[in-house]
Amino acid sequence: MITEETLSGWSSFNYFKTKVFKPKNSLDLKDFIKNNKHNLKVIARGHGCSFGDQAICSVENGVTIDLSNLDKIVELDENKKILKVQGATKLKEILKYVLPKNLTLNSIPGGLEITVGGAISNNVHGKDCWKNGYFEKNVKSISLIDCKGDIIKLSRDNKEDHFRNMFSSIGLLGIIVEVELFIKEIPSQFLKTETKKVTNIDEMEECFNN
């Protein structure tokens, strides 16, 4: 069922009227896309954490697809260190699940309300990105629904160009329904730190560069 809502991005700067479709599951979404007889324009929305309006389809003949029901943790393979989740699973739910098992992800931002699909679509990063790269380094595979309503699986070994283009695609290259993530063991509960004092901005820049 399609409803009408007024939505905003995370900043709440502007609000937009949009038609909204909220699928019960990925098959419900697949049927909606496949049977899009009126050629509706669609944009996927996870938790709406982007500052702007990129996750709102407010154009004429447009529908915002609310993916919040696709938020399940599917499977964890602790031996292979692979976690399978649905696209609208929030990062905070992933951490609540894996941290007690002494596992975590690389390069996650401070805003843990964002979904895995949103993290991929914007290729987010954490403060460890200088060492561990952006969020894409966590991703083994992506299952998405394309504009024809077909479910396709992307990875570095299958449709590599499409897979790589998904990162920072802001949701325009398919609707992410399931993701396999690489996870890693936490080596220690403690951090080894070193403190360096600088007296001016030039010394600080040199310290960063080193």
Side-chain angles (χ1 to χ4, degrees), residues 108-175:
I108 51 178
L112 298 178
E113 293 288 332
I114 71 172
T115 63
V116 170
I120 291 171
S121 296
N122 294 278
N123 203 13
V124 300
H125 66 278
K127 290 182 172 62
D128 61 338
C129 66
W130 62 274
K131 179 180 180 181
N132 295 318
Y134 281 47
F135 193 83
E136 63 185 295
K137 297 291 186 180
N138 291 314
V139 181
K140 181 178 187 290
S141 72
I142 301 169
S143 295
L144 59 81
I145 295 179
D146 66 12
C147 60
K148 298 177 181 178
D150 296 325
I151 296 179
I152 59 175
K153 187 172 182 177
L154 312 175
S155 69
R156 290 173 180 82
D157 301 318
N158 182 45
K159 303 181 186 297
E160 182 183 9
D161 286 345
H162 194 167
F163 174 78
R164 294 190 180 280
N165 287 337
M166 289 298 295
F167 300 97
S168 301
S169 65
I170 59 173
L172 299 178
L173 299 180
I175 300 175

Short mmCIF file of all heavy atoms in Angstrom, two decimals, residues 108-175:
data_model
loop_
_atom_site.label_atom_id
_atom_site.label_comp_id
_atom_site.label_asym_id
_atom_site.label_seq_id
_atom_site.Cartn_x
_atom_site.Cartn_y
_atom_site.Cartn_z
N ILE A 108 33.89 2.58 10.75
CA ILE A 108 32.50 2.94 10.96
C ILE A 108 32.42 4.35 11.56
O ILE A 108 33.25 4.73 12.38
CB ILE A 108 31.78 1.93 11.87
CG1 ILE A 108 32.56 1.68 13.16
CG2 ILE A 108 31.53 0.63 11.12
CD1 ILE A 108 31.87 0.74 14.12
N PRO A 109 31.43 5.12 11.16
CA PRO A 109 31.32 6.51 11.63
C PRO A 109 30.73 6.58 13.03
O PRO A 109 30.31 5.57 13.61
CB PRO A 109 30.38 7.14 10.61
CG PRO A 109 29.51 6.01 10.18
CD PRO A 109 30.38 4.79 10.20
N GLY A 110 30.68 7.77 13.58
CA GLY A 110 30.11 7.96 14.91
C GLY A 110 28.61 7.84 14.94
O GLY A 110 28.03 7.47 15.96
N GLY A 111 27.94 8.11 13.83
CA GLY A 111 26.48 8.03 13.77
C GLY A 111 26.02 6.62 13.49
O GLY A 111 25.93 6.20 12.34
N LEU A 112 25.73 5.86 14.54
CA LEU A 112 25.46 4.43 14.40
C LEU A 112 24.01 4.13 14.02
O LEU A 112 23.64 2.97 13.89
CB LEU A 112 25.82 3.71 15.69
CG LEU A 112 27.30 3.78 16.08
CD1 LEU A 112 27.53 3.06 17.40
CD2 LEU A 112 28.19 3.19 14.99
N GLU A 113 23.19 5.17 13.83
CA GLU A 113 21.82 4.95 13.38
C GLU A 113 21.74 4.64 11.90
O GLU A 113 20.71 4.19 11.40
CB GLU A 113 20.96 6.19 13.68
CG GLU A 113 20.74 6.47 15.15
CD GLU A 113 19.78 5.48 15.79
OE1 GLU A 113 18.92 4.94 15.08
OE2 GLU A 113 19.90 5.25 17.01
N ILE A 114 22.82 4.88 11.16
CA ILE A 114 22.78 4.67 9.72
C ILE A 114 22.69 3.19 9.39
O ILE A 114 23.10 2.34 10.17
CB ILE A 114 23.97 5.31 9.00
CG1 ILE A 114 25.27 4.54 9.30
CG2 ILE A 114 24.13 6.76 9.35
CD1 ILE A 114 26.42 5.01 8.47
N THR A 115 22.11 2.89 8.25
CA THR A 115 21.95 1.51 7.82
C THR A 115 23.14 1.06 6.98
O THR A 115 23.91 1.88 6.46
CB THR A 115 20.67 1.34 7.00
OG1 THR A 115 20.79 2.14 5.79
CG2 THR A 115 19.45 1.80 7.80
N VAL A 116 23.26 -0.25 6.83
CA VAL A 116 24.33 -0.80 6.00
C VAL A 116 24.18 -0.31 4.55
O VAL A 116 25.16 0.06 3.90
CB VAL A 116 24.33 -2.34 6.06
CG1 VAL A 116 25.28 -2.92 5.02
CG2 VAL A 116 24.73 -2.81 7.44
N GLY A 117 22.95 -0.31 4.05
CA GLY A 117 22.72 0.19 2.69
C GLY A 117 23.12 1.64 2.53
O GLY A 117 23.72 2.03 1.53
N GLY A 118 22.81 2.45 3.54
CA GLY A 118 23.21 3.85 3.51
C GLY A 118 24.71 4.02 3.62
O GLY A 118 25.30 4.90 2.97
N ALA A 119 25.34 3.17 4.43
CA ALA A 119 26.80 3.23 4.58
C ALA A 119 27.50 2.91 3.26
O ALA A 119 28.52 3.51 2.92
CB ALA A 119 27.25 2.25 5.67
N ILE A 120 26.93 1.97 2.51
CA ILE A 120 27.47 1.62 1.20
C ILE A 120 27.18 2.73 0.19
O ILE A 120 28.08 3.17 -0.54
CB ILE A 120 26.88 0.28 0.71
CG1 ILE A 120 27.41 -0.87 1.56
CG2 ILE A 120 27.18 0.05 -0.77
CD1 ILE A 120 26.73 -2.19 1.31
N SER A 121 25.95 3.19 0.16
CA SER A 121 25.55 4.20 -0.84
C SER A 121 26.31 5.50 -0.70
O SER A 121 26.48 6.24 -1.67
CB SER A 121 24.05 4.47 -0.72
OG SER A 121 23.31 3.31 -1.04
N ASN A 122 26.78 5.80 0.52
CA ASN A 122 27.57 7.01 0.75
C ASN A 122 29.03 6.71 1.03
O ASN A 122 29.82 7.63 1.24
CB ASN A 122 26.97 7.79 1.91
CG ASN A 122 25.59 8.34 1.60
OD1 ASN A 122 25.44 9.38 0.97
ND2 ASN A 122 24.55 7.63 2.03
N ASN A 123 29.38 5.44 1.05
CA ASN A 123 30.75 4.98 1.35
C ASN A 123 31.33 5.75 2.54
O ASN A 123 32.33 6.45 2.42
CB ASN A 123 31.66 5.10 0.13
CG ASN A 123 32.85 4.15 0.23
OD1 ASN A 123 32.89 3.25 1.07
ND2 ASN A 123 33.83 4.36 -0.62
N VAL A 124 30.69 5.58 3.68
CA VAL A 124 31.07 6.33 4.87
C VAL A 124 32.44 5.88 5.39
O VAL A 124 33.02 4.91 4.91
CB VAL A 124 30.01 6.15 5.98
CG1 VAL A 124 28.66 6.66 5.51
CG2 VAL A 124 29.91 4.69 6.41
N HIS A 125 32.94 6.58 6.38
CA HIS A 125 34.25 6.24 6.93
C HIS A 125 34.29 6.57 8.41
O HIS A 125 33.48 7.34 8.92
CB HIS A 125 35.36 6.98 6.19
CG HIS A 125 35.31 8.46 6.39
ND1 HIS A 125 34.46 9.27 5.65
CD2 HIS A 125 35.96 9.28 7.25
CE1 HIS A 125 34.63 10.53 6.04
NE2 HIS A 125 35.52 10.57 7.01
N GLY A 126 35.26 6.00 9.08
CA GLY A 126 35.51 6.31 10.49
C GLY A 126 36.87 6.94 10.64
O GLY A 126 37.58 7.19 9.65
N LYS A 127 37.25 7.18 11.87
CA LYS A 127 38.54 7.86 12.11
C LYS A 127 39.74 6.95 11.85
O LYS A 127 40.88 7.40 11.89
CB LYS A 127 38.56 8.41 13.55
CG LYS A 127 37.61 9.59 13.73
CD LYS A 127 37.69 10.16 15.13
CE LYS A 127 36.88 11.45 15.23
NZ LYS A 127 35.44 11.23 14.96
N ASP A 128 39.47 5.67 11.57
CA ASP A 128 40.55 4.76 11.22
C ASP A 128 40.72 4.62 9.71
O ASP A 128 41.45 3.76 9.24
CB ASP A 128 40.31 3.39 11.84
CG ASP A 128 39.02 2.74 11.33
OD1 ASP A 128 38.13 3.48 10.87
OD2 ASP A 128 38.90 1.50 11.40
N CYS A 129 40.05 5.48 8.92
CA CYS A 129 40.06 5.31 7.47
C CYS A 129 41.45 5.51 6.87
O CYS A 129 41.76 4.94 5.81
CB CYS A 129 39.05 6.24 6.80
SG CYS A 129 39.43 7.99 6.97
N TRP A 130 42.30 6.28 7.54
CA TRP A 130 43.66 6.47 7.03
C TRP A 130 44.41 5.13 6.97
O TRP A 130 45.31 4.94 6.15
CB TRP A 130 44.43 7.44 7.93
CG TRP A 130 44.60 6.94 9.34
CD1 TRP A 130 43.71 7.08 10.37
CD2 TRP A 130 45.71 6.22 9.86
NE1 TRP A 130 44.19 6.48 11.51
CE2 TRP A 130 45.42 5.94 11.23
CE3 TRP A 130 46.92 5.76 9.32
CZ2 TRP A 130 46.29 5.24 12.05
CZ3 TRP A 130 47.79 5.06 10.14
CH2 TRP A 130 47.48 4.80 11.49
N LYS A 131 43.99 4.19 7.82
CA LYS A 131 44.64 2.88 7.89
C LYS A 131 43.80 1.78 7.26
O LYS A 131 44.34 0.91 6.57
CB LYS A 131 44.92 2.53 9.36
CG LYS A 131 45.59 1.18 9.57
CD LYS A 131 45.81 0.92 11.06
CE LYS A 131 46.48 -0.42 11.28
NZ LYS A 131 46.68 -0.70 12.74
N ASN A 132 42.50 1.81 7.49
CA ASN A 132 41.63 0.70 7.10
C ASN A 132 40.72 1.01 5.92
O ASN A 132 39.89 0.19 5.55
CB ASN A 132 40.77 0.26 8.29
CG ASN A 132 41.61 -0.30 9.42
OD1 ASN A 132 42.55 -1.06 9.18
ND2 ASN A 132 41.29 0.08 10.65
N GLY A 133 40.84 2.20 5.34
CA GLY A 133 40.02 2.52 4.18
C GLY A 133 38.60 2.93 4.56
O GLY A 133 38.28 3.14 5.73
N TYR A 134 37.75 3.04 3.55
CA TYR A 134 36.36 3.43 3.75
C TYR A 134 35.49 2.19 3.96
O TYR A 134 35.96 1.07 3.98
CB TYR A 134 35.88 4.27 2.56
CG TYR A 134 36.37 5.71 2.62
CD1 TYR A 134 37.70 6.00 2.90
CD2 TYR A 134 35.50 6.76 2.41
CE1 TYR A 134 38.14 7.31 2.97
CE2 TYR A 134 35.94 8.08 2.46
CZ TYR A 134 37.27 8.35 2.75
OH TYR A 134 37.69 9.65 2.82
N PHE A 135 34.18 2.40 4.11
CA PHE A 135 33.29 1.30 4.47
C PHE A 135 33.33 0.16 3.45
O PHE A 135 33.09 -1.00 3.79
CB PHE A 135 31.85 1.81 4.64
CG PHE A 135 30.94 0.82 5.30
CD1 PHE A 135 30.90 0.70 6.68
CD2 PHE A 135 30.12 -0.01 4.55
CE1 PHE A 135 30.08 -0.22 7.30
CE2 PHE A 135 29.28 -0.93 5.16
CZ PHE A 135 29.27 -1.04 6.54
N GLU A 136 33.61 0.47 2.20
CA GLU A 136 33.63 -0.55 1.15
C GLU A 136 34.58 -1.70 1.48
O GLU A 136 34.37 -2.84 1.02
CB GLU A 136 34.03 0.07 -0.18
CG GLU A 136 35.42 0.67 -0.21
CD GLU A 136 35.72 1.38 -1.53
OE1 GLU A 136 35.77 0.69 -2.56
OE2 GLU A 136 35.87 2.61 -1.51
N LYS A 137 35.61 -1.45 2.29
CA LYS A 137 36.56 -2.50 2.66
C LYS A 137 35.90 -3.59 3.50
O LYS A 137 36.41 -4.71 3.60
CB LYS A 137 37.73 -1.90 3.43
CG LYS A 137 38.57 -0.90 2.66
CD LYS A 137 39.36 -1.58 1.55
CE LYS A 137 40.29 -0.59 0.87
NZ LYS A 137 41.07 -1.23 -0.22
N ASN A 138 34.75 -3.27 4.13
CA ASN A 138 34.03 -4.25 4.94
C ASN A 138 33.17 -5.19 4.11
O ASN A 138 32.69 -6.20 4.63
CB ASN A 138 33.09 -3.54 5.93
CG ASN A 138 33.83 -2.80 7.01
OD1 ASN A 138 34.75 -3.32 7.62
ND2 ASN A 138 33.41 -1.57 7.27
N VAL A 139 32.92 -4.86 2.85
CA VAL A 139 31.84 -5.50 2.10
C VAL A 139 32.37 -6.62 1.21
O VAL A 139 33.20 -6.41 0.33
CB VAL A 139 31.08 -4.47 1.25
CG1 VAL A 139 29.94 -5.15 0.49
CG2 VAL A 139 30.53 -3.36 2.14
N LYS A 140 31.84 -7.82 1.42
CA LYS A 140 32.18 -8.99 0.59
C LYS A 140 31.26 -9.07 -0.61
O LYS A 140 31.72 -9.32 -1.73
CB LYS A 140 32.09 -10.27 1.41
CG LYS A 140 32.44 -11.53 0.64
CD LYS A 140 32.37 -12.75 1.56
CE LYS A 140 32.89 -13.99 0.85
NZ LYS A 140 32.01 -14.45 -0.22
N SER A 141 29.95 -8.89 -0.40
CA SER A 141 29.01 -8.97 -1.51
C SER A 141 27.78 -8.12 -1.21
O SER A 141 27.49 -7.80 -0.05
CB SER A 141 28.58 -10.42 -1.78
OG SER A 141 27.73 -10.89 -0.76
N ILE A 142 27.08 -7.75 -2.27
CA ILE A 142 25.84 -6.96 -2.18
C ILE A 142 24.78 -7.64 -3.03
O ILE A 142 25.01 -7.93 -4.21
CB ILE A 142 26.05 -5.53 -2.71
CG1 ILE A 142 27.13 -4.80 -1.92
CG2 ILE A 142 24.74 -4.74 -2.68
CD1 ILE A 142 27.57 -3.49 -2.56
N SER A 143 23.62 -7.90 -2.44
CA SER A 143 22.47 -8.37 -3.21
C SER A 143 21.49 -7.21 -3.35
O SER A 143 21.13 -6.58 -2.35
CB SER A 143 21.78 -9.54 -2.52
OG SER A 143 22.64 -10.67 -2.48
N LEU A 144 21.10 -6.92 -4.59
CA LEU A 144 20.23 -5.77 -4.82
C LEU A 144 19.11 -6.11 -5.79
O LEU A 144 19.17 -7.12 -6.49
CB LEU A 144 21.04 -4.58 -5.34
CG LEU A 144 21.84 -4.73 -6.64
CD1 LEU A 144 20.95 -4.55 -7.87
CD2 LEU A 144 22.97 -3.73 -6.69
N ILE A 145 18.10 -5.28 -5.77
CA ILE A 145 17.01 -5.38 -6.74
C ILE A 145 17.22 -4.28 -7.77
O ILE A 145 17.32 -3.10 -7.43
CB ILE A 145 15.64 -5.24 -6.06
CG1 ILE A 145 15.42 -6.42 -5.12
CG2 ILE A 145 14.53 -5.17 -7.09
CD1 ILE A 145 14.12 -6.38 -4.36
N ASP A 146 17.30 -4.68 -9.04
CA ASP A 146 17.55 -3.69 -10.10
C ASP A 146 16.23 -3.11 -10.61
O ASP A 146 15.15 -3.42 -10.10
CB ASP A 146 18.39 -4.30 -11.23
CG ASP A 146 17.67 -5.41 -11.99
OD1 ASP A 146 16.44 -5.58 -11.80
OD2 ASP A 146 18.34 -6.11 -12.77
N CYS A 147 16.32 -2.27 -11.62
CA CYS A 147 15.14 -1.55 -12.11
C CYS A 147 14.12 -2.47 -12.77
O CYS A 147 12.96 -2.07 -12.98
CB CYS A 147 15.56 -0.45 -13.08
SG CYS A 147 16.45 -1.05 -14.53
N LYS A 148 14.51 -3.71 -13.09
CA LYS A 148 13.57 -4.67 -13.68
C LYS A 148 12.89 -5.53 -12.62
O LYS A 148 12.04 -6.36 -12.95
CB LYS A 148 14.31 -5.57 -14.68
CG LYS A 148 14.91 -4.82 -15.86
CD LYS A 148 15.67 -5.76 -16.76
CE LYS A 148 16.31 -5.03 -17.93
NZ LYS A 148 17.10 -5.95 -18.80
N GLY A 149 13.32 -5.36 -11.37
CA GLY A 149 12.76 -6.19 -10.30
C GLY A 149 13.50 -7.49 -10.10
O GLY A 149 13.02 -8.38 -9.40
N ASP A 150 14.67 -7.62 -10.71
CA ASP A 150 15.47 -8.84 -10.55
C ASP A 150 16.46 -8.67 -9.40
O ASP A 150 17.02 -7.58 -9.20
CB ASP A 150 16.24 -9.14 -11.84
CG ASP A 150 15.32 -9.46 -13.01
OD1 ASP A 150 14.27 -10.07 -12.76
OD2 ASP A 150 15.67 -9.09 -14.15
N ILE A 151 16.69 -9.74 -8.66
CA ILE A 151 17.68 -9.74 -7.59
C ILE A 151 19.00 -10.21 -8.16
O ILE A 151 19.09 -11.31 -8.73
CB ILE A 151 17.26 -10.63 -6.41
CG1 ILE A 151 15.98 -10.09 -5.76
CG2 ILE A 151 18.37 -10.71 -5.37
CD1 ILE A 151 15.47 -10.93 -4.60
N ILE A 152 20.04 -9.40 -8.04
CA ILE A 152 21.36 -9.77 -8.52
C ILE A 152 22.37 -9.62 -7.40
O ILE A 152 22.21 -8.80 -6.50
CB ILE A 152 21.79 -8.94 -9.75
CG1 ILE A 152 21.82 -7.44 -9.42
CG2 ILE A 152 20.86 -9.18 -10.93
CD1 ILE A 152 22.35 -6.58 -10.56
N LYS A 153 23.39 -10.46 -7.45
CA LYS A 153 24.42 -10.44 -6.41
C LYS A 153 25.72 -9.92 -7.01
O LYS A 153 26.16 -10.39 -8.06
CB LYS A 153 24.63 -11.84 -5.82
CG LYS A 153 25.55 -11.88 -4.62
CD LYS A 153 25.56 -13.25 -3.96
CE LYS A 153 26.45 -13.27 -2.72
NZ LYS A 153 26.42 -14.58 -2.03
N LEU A 154 26.32 -8.96 -6.33
CA LEU A 154 27.54 -8.33 -6.81
C LEU A 154 28.68 -8.60 -5.83
O LEU A 154 28.48 -8.65 -4.61
CB LEU A 154 27.37 -6.81 -6.92
CG LEU A 154 26.12 -6.29 -7.63
CD1 LEU A 154 26.06 -4.77 -7.52
CD2 LEU A 154 26.13 -6.72 -9.09
N SER A 155 29.88 -8.75 -6.37
CA SER A 155 31.07 -8.89 -5.52
C SER A 155 32.29 -8.51 -6.36
O SER A 155 32.16 -8.18 -7.54
CB SER A 155 31.21 -10.33 -5.01
OG SER A 155 31.53 -11.22 -6.07
N ARG A 156 33.45 -8.61 -5.76
CA ARG A 156 34.68 -8.32 -6.51
C ARG A 156 34.94 -9.38 -7.56
O ARG A 156 35.74 -9.16 -8.48
CB ARG A 156 35.86 -8.22 -5.54
CG ARG A 156 35.80 -6.98 -4.66
CD ARG A 156 36.88 -6.97 -3.58
NE ARG A 156 36.78 -5.76 -2.77
CZ ARG A 156 35.95 -5.61 -1.77
NH1 ARG A 156 35.14 -6.61 -1.42
NH2 ARG A 156 35.92 -4.48 -1.07
N ASP A 157 34.27 -10.54 -7.44
CA ASP A 157 34.44 -11.63 -8.40
C ASP A 157 33.26 -11.77 -9.34
O ASP A 157 33.29 -12.60 -10.26
CB ASP A 157 34.64 -12.96 -7.65
CG ASP A 157 35.86 -12.93 -6.74
OD1 ASP A 157 36.91 -12.40 -7.18
OD2 ASP A 157 35.76 -13.42 -5.60
N ASN A 158 32.21 -11.01 -9.13
CA ASN A 158 31.01 -11.12 -9.95
C ASN A 158 30.45 -9.72 -10.23
O ASN A 158 30.02 -9.04 -9.31
CB ASN A 158 29.95 -11.97 -9.24
CG ASN A 158 28.69 -12.15 -10.06
OD1 ASN A 158 28.77 -12.43 -11.26
ND2 ASN A 158 27.54 -11.99 -9.43
N LYS A 159 30.47 -9.31 -11.49
CA LYS A 159 30.03 -7.97 -11.89
C LYS A 159 30.80 -6.91 -11.09
O LYS A 159 30.22 -6.04 -10.44
CB LYS A 159 28.52 -7.83 -11.68
CG LYS A 159 27.67 -8.85 -12.42
CD LYS A 159 26.19 -8.63 -12.19
CE LYS A 159 25.34 -9.74 -12.79
NZ LYS A 159 25.45 -9.84 -14.24
N GLU A 160 32.12 -6.99 -11.17
CA GLU A 160 32.99 -6.16 -10.34
C GLU A 160 32.75 -4.67 -10.54
O GLU A 160 32.73 -3.90 -9.57
CB GLU A 160 34.46 -6.48 -10.61
CG GLU A 160 35.41 -5.67 -9.74
CD GLU A 160 36.87 -5.94 -10.06
OE1 GLU A 160 37.15 -6.62 -11.06
OE2 GLU A 160 37.73 -5.45 -9.31
N ASP A 161 32.56 -4.22 -11.79
CA ASP A 161 32.36 -2.79 -12.03
C ASP A 161 31.10 -2.28 -11.34
O ASP A 161 31.10 -1.21 -10.71
CB ASP A 161 32.27 -2.52 -13.54
CG ASP A 161 33.62 -2.62 -14.23
OD1 ASP A 161 34.64 -2.62 -13.51
OD2 ASP A 161 33.65 -2.70 -15.47
N HIS A 162 30.01 -3.04 -11.46
CA HIS A 162 28.77 -2.65 -10.79
C HIS A 162 28.96 -2.65 -9.28
O HIS A 162 28.49 -1.74 -8.58
CB HIS A 162 27.65 -3.61 -11.20
CG HIS A 162 26.28 -3.12 -10.86
ND1 HIS A 162 25.14 -3.70 -11.37
CD2 HIS A 162 25.84 -2.10 -10.06
CE1 HIS A 162 24.07 -3.07 -10.91
NE2 HIS A 162 24.47 -2.10 -10.10
N PHE A 163 29.66 -3.67 -8.78
CA PHE A 163 29.93 -3.75 -7.34
C PHE A 163 30.67 -2.51 -6.85
O PHE A 163 30.26 -1.86 -5.88
CB PHE A 163 30.77 -5.00 -7.05
CG PHE A 163 31.23 -5.13 -5.62
CD1 PHE A 163 30.36 -5.56 -4.63
CD2 PHE A 163 32.54 -4.82 -5.27
CE1 PHE A 163 30.78 -5.68 -3.31
CE2 PHE A 163 32.97 -4.94 -3.96
CZ PHE A 163 32.09 -5.36 -2.98
N ARG A 164 31.73 -2.13 -7.52
CA ARG A 164 32.52 -0.97 -7.09
C ARG A 164 31.74 0.33 -7.24
O ARG A 164 31.90 1.26 -6.44
CB ARG A 164 33.84 -0.92 -7.87
CG ARG A 164 34.77 -2.08 -7.56
CD ARG A 164 36.15 -1.90 -8.14
NE ARG A 164 37.01 -3.03 -7.85
CZ ARG A 164 37.63 -3.23 -6.69
NH1 ARG A 164 37.47 -2.36 -5.71
NH2 ARG A 164 38.40 -4.29 -6.50
N ASN A 165 30.89 0.41 -8.25
CA ASN A 165 30.12 1.63 -8.47
C ASN A 165 29.02 1.83 -7.44
O ASN A 165 28.50 2.94 -7.30
CB ASN A 165 29.51 1.62 -9.87
CG ASN A 165 30.53 1.85 -10.96
OD1 ASN A 165 31.59 2.42 -10.72
ND2 ASN A 165 30.24 1.39 -12.17
N MET A 166 28.68 0.77 -6.71
CA MET A 166 27.64 0.90 -5.68
C MET A 166 28.07 1.83 -4.55
O MET A 166 27.24 2.48 -3.91
CB MET A 166 27.29 -0.47 -5.11
CG MET A 166 26.52 -1.38 -6.05
SD MET A 166 24.91 -0.72 -6.53
CE MET A 166 24.05 -0.72 -4.94
N PHE A 167 29.37 1.91 -4.31
CA PHE A 167 29.87 2.72 -3.21
C PHE A 167 29.88 4.19 -3.63
O PHE A 167 30.47 4.56 -4.64
CB PHE A 167 31.27 2.24 -2.79
CG PHE A 167 31.27 0.81 -2.35
CD1 PHE A 167 31.62 -0.20 -3.23
CD2 PHE A 167 30.87 0.47 -1.08
CE1 PHE A 167 31.59 -1.53 -2.84
CE2 PHE A 167 30.83 -0.85 -0.67
CZ PHE A 167 31.19 -1.86 -1.55
N SER A 168 29.16 5.01 -2.86
CA SER A 168 28.93 6.43 -3.16
C SER A 168 27.94 6.63 -4.30
O SER A 168 27.90 7.69 -4.91
CB SER A 168 30.25 7.17 -3.46
OG SER A 168 31.13 7.09 -2.37
N SER A 169 27.12 5.63 -4.59
CA SER A 169 26.14 5.74 -5.67
C SER A 169 24.86 6.44 -5.21
O SER A 169 23.96 6.66 -6.03
CB SER A 169 25.77 4.35 -6.18
OG SER A 169 25.11 3.60 -5.16
N ILE A 170 24.76 6.78 -3.93
CA ILE A 170 23.59 7.39 -3.27
C ILE A 170 22.27 6.74 -3.69
O ILE A 170 21.25 7.39 -3.88
CB ILE A 170 23.53 8.93 -3.44
CG1 ILE A 170 23.48 9.35 -4.90
CG2 ILE A 170 24.71 9.58 -2.74
CD1 ILE A 170 23.25 10.86 -5.10
N GLY A 171 22.31 5.42 -3.83
CA GLY A 171 21.09 4.66 -4.05
C GLY A 171 20.55 4.66 -5.46
O GLY A 171 19.40 4.24 -5.67
N LEU A 172 21.31 5.08 -6.43
CA LEU A 172 20.79 5.22 -7.80
C LEU A 172 21.04 4.01 -8.69
O LEU A 172 20.57 3.97 -9.82
CB LEU A 172 21.40 6.47 -8.45
CG LEU A 172 21.11 7.80 -7.77
CD1 LEU A 172 21.81 8.94 -8.49
CD2 LEU A 172 19.60 8.06 -7.73
N LEU A 173 21.79 3.02 -8.19
CA LEU A 173 22.17 1.88 -9.04
C LEU A 173 21.53 0.57 -8.60
O LEU A 173 21.98 -0.50 -8.99
CB LEU A 173 23.70 1.74 -9.06
CG LEU A 173 24.48 2.93 -9.60
CD1 LEU A 173 25.97 2.65 -9.56
CD2 LEU A 173 24.05 3.25 -11.03
N GLY A 174 20.51 0.64 -7.79
CA GLY A 174 19.84 -0.56 -7.32
C GLY A 174 19.51 -0.42 -5.84
O GLY A 174 20.11 0.37 -5.12
N ILE A 175 18.52 -1.20 -5.39
CA ILE A 175 18.09 -1.15 -3.99
C ILE A 175 18.72 -2.31 -3.24
O ILE A 175 18.46 -3.48 -3.54
CB ILE A 175 16.55 -1.21 -3.89
CG1 ILE A 175 15.93 -0.03 -4.65
CG2 ILE A 175 16.10 -1.20 -2.44
CD1 ILE A 175 14.42 -0.07 -4.73
#
